Amino acid sequence: MIKSTPYVLVLLLAVLLSGCGEFYKLEKSTNWDELYEAANRYYDQGDYNKSIILYDRVLPVIKGSGKAELAEFNYAYAHFRTKRYIESAGYFKTFFDTYNRSPMAEEALFMHAYSLYLDSPDYNLDQRSSREAVNSIQLFMNRYPESDSYERAISMIDDLQKRFEEKAFEESKMYYRLTEGLFPGEFYRACIINFQNFAKSYPDSDYNEELAFKLVEVSAAYAERSVFDKKEERLKQSIEFAQDFSQKYPESSFVKKVENIKSKTTTELESHYRLKEQYEARSAEARKLREEEERNQAATEALRNTEN
């Protein structure tokens, strides 16, 4: 048995060389029927790279003929099977646009969307291609609402929406971290806008409770560091955020912290009112003195004009 091993290897090598020789001849062939049959055969055997090479040669020749439909469909799938998802998405879409009445049109449109879905990146990367995938899936669902693949399409959209949510949450945390820097002013404002937009975009997100707490926290810090003219407005806003939080999440583990922030902010607002009252009183007194001085100057000027 051991002695027969070299002969087995030689036989396998001969078979491989024979296969390579056959494919090499096909690459050089101009017999389009032979190329078409060989491309389909390699595809059926799962040798997708060879089938792609042969389809590349034969497709321009058979375009518009009865053979083209199956060849173009297999060509798109061959790219999909070799995980060339961007290419397969394009070829499936081209197939659908060309053969939209074909029995394979529904599958082609789904595979266009599915290819884009598989190519979409993780949540921490740029999600523009994921949004393109969502649009393509939605197109399929609108076109084929009774499709057997409809539920699968919904699950794909749900998964992509989750990635968008994770991406948005990571961006929110990034803004929050930036408020710990030396110049946090603009980042406080960016946080407030970002947290509010997140809640609007993802009203059912599990992250809303945490971000609602951070909204109270950040808005209080922003108000505390604000210039006098903006302080009252921002302190009131922070108190409103705290009240909204308590109403929405009465059982939250953040409630005590929120109440402490609200209490501190309310005290600061009351202090601000006293300062504002004192400031307005001093301003009124200064205005009164200035007006009296202006009247005295006017009277003195009038007396000089009379004397002259």
Side-chain angles (χ1 to χ4, degrees):
M1 187 70 177
I2 295 175
K3 290 181 181 180
S4 66
T5 301
Y7 298 104
V8 173
L9 292 175
V10 169
L11 181 60
L12 287 173
L13 182 59
V15 171
L16 289 172
L17 289 173
S18 173
C20 291
E22 178 192 2
F23 184 74
Y24 178 78
K25 289 178 182 178
L26 286 169
E27 283 188 287
K28 303 299 181 183
S29 174
T30 56
N31 184 331
W32 307 117
D33 289 334
E34 181 183 35
L35 283 173
Y36 174 77
E37 295 298 332
N40 288 339
R41 184 171 67 254
Y42 280 121
Y43 176 83
D44 291 338
Q45 291 172 354
D47 201 338
Y48 302 115
N49 287 315
K50 286 182 179 178
S51 72
I52 288 171
I53 293 171
L54 297 183
Y55 281 133
D56 277 331
R57 292 208 59 214
V58 77
L59 277 172
V61 178
I62 65 172
K63 193 173 184 66
S65 71
K67 296 179 178 180
E69 183 176 334
L70 177 61
E72 289 185 41
F73 190 72
N74 288 351
Y75 186 64
Y77 251 119
H79 283 82
F80 179 82
R81 299 299 185 195
T82 52
K83 299 185 178 180
R84 304 173 196 177
Y85 297 128
I86 290 296
E87 290 89 341
S88 69
Y91 292 131
F92 278 123
K93 186 62 167 62
T94 299
F95 180 92
F96 177 81
D97 293 339
T98 306
Y99 306 101
N100 53 61
R101 295 186 179 181
S102 166
M104 298 179 285
E106 178 183 330
E107 183 176 354
L109 191 60
F110 176 80
M111 290 305 298
H112 163 67
Y114 188 47
S115 295
L116 291 174
Y117 167 76
L118 291 179
D119 189 67
S120 60
D122 291 337
Y123 74 88
N124 57 329
L125 300 174
D126 191 319
Q127 293 299 308
R128 278 177 292 186
S129 60
S130 297
R131 298 190 188 282
E132 183 183 355
V134 168
N135 293 336
S136 300
I137 297 167
Q138 193 63 60
L139 174 65
F140 169 79
M141 293 170 67
N142 293 341
R143 185 65 182 260
Y144 298 104
E146 303 299 324
S147 172
D148 291 341
S149 299
Y150 192 87
E151 293 297 326
R152 190 178 178 189
I154 290 176
S155 68
M156 286 156 56
I157 284 186
D158 289 344
D159 179 55
L160 290 170
Q161 291 291 359
K162 187 65 177 176
R163 296 186 205 182
F164 300 151
E165 181 183 331
E166 291 284 348
K167 178 75 171 176
F169 181 62
E170 289 299 317
E171 289 176 354
S172 297
K173 290 200 297 184
M174 177 194 70
Y175 283 118
Y176 183 76
R177 288 193 296 271
L178 290 172
T179 63
E180 299 172 358
L182 295 175
F183 305 101
E186 283 303 309
F187 295 119
Y188 283 131
R189 184 169 176 274
C191 270
I192 292 170
I193 294 172
N194 187 278
F195 294 170
Q196 290 177 302
N197 286 341
F198 183 94
K200 290 176 184 176
S201 299
Y202 307 101
D204 300 321
S205 173
D206 293 336
Y207 296 126
N208 279 328
E209 180 181 336
E210 179 182 348
L211 291 182
F213 164 68
K214 291 186 184 299
L215 180 61
V216 175
E217 190 179 40
V218 166
S219 63
Y222 187 41
E224 184 182 352
R225 291 164 175 77
S226 294
V227 295
F228 189 83
D229 289 345
K230 298 287 187 181
K231 203 174 189 70
E232 179 180 344
E233 175 190 350
R234 290 171 182 170
L235 286 169
K236 286 181 178 179
Q237 185 184 52
S238 180
I239 292 171
E240 288 175 4
F241 289 150
Q243 290 171 339
D244 289 344
F245 182 91
S246 297
Q247 290 175 357
K248 289 180 181 177
Y249 308 105
E251 305 299 324
S252 172
S253 60
F254 296 117
V255 164
K256 187 173 182 180
K257 290 181 179 179
V258 168
E259 289 301 320
N260 289 338
I261 294 172
K262 179 184 173 185
S263 177
K264 181 181 176 182
T265 305
T266 302
T267 300
E268 189 167 353
L269 180 60
E270 291 170 353
S271 176
H272 177 78
Y273 281 145
R274 289 193 294 271
L275 288 173
K276 182 179 179 182
E277 187 177 346
Q278 293 170 10
Y279 172 77
E280 289 175 348
R282 287 196 299 269
S283 296
E285 183 64 26
R287 194 162 50 248
K288 182 179 178 181
L289 291 173
R290 188 168 59 254
E291 289 171 355
E292 186 175 344
E293 183 179 351
E294 288 173 354
R295 285 195 297 270
N296 289 338
Q297 288 178 350
T300 301
E301 187 67 27
L303 180 60
R304 284 177 184 170
N305 291 336
T306 303
E307 290 175 352
N308 292 336

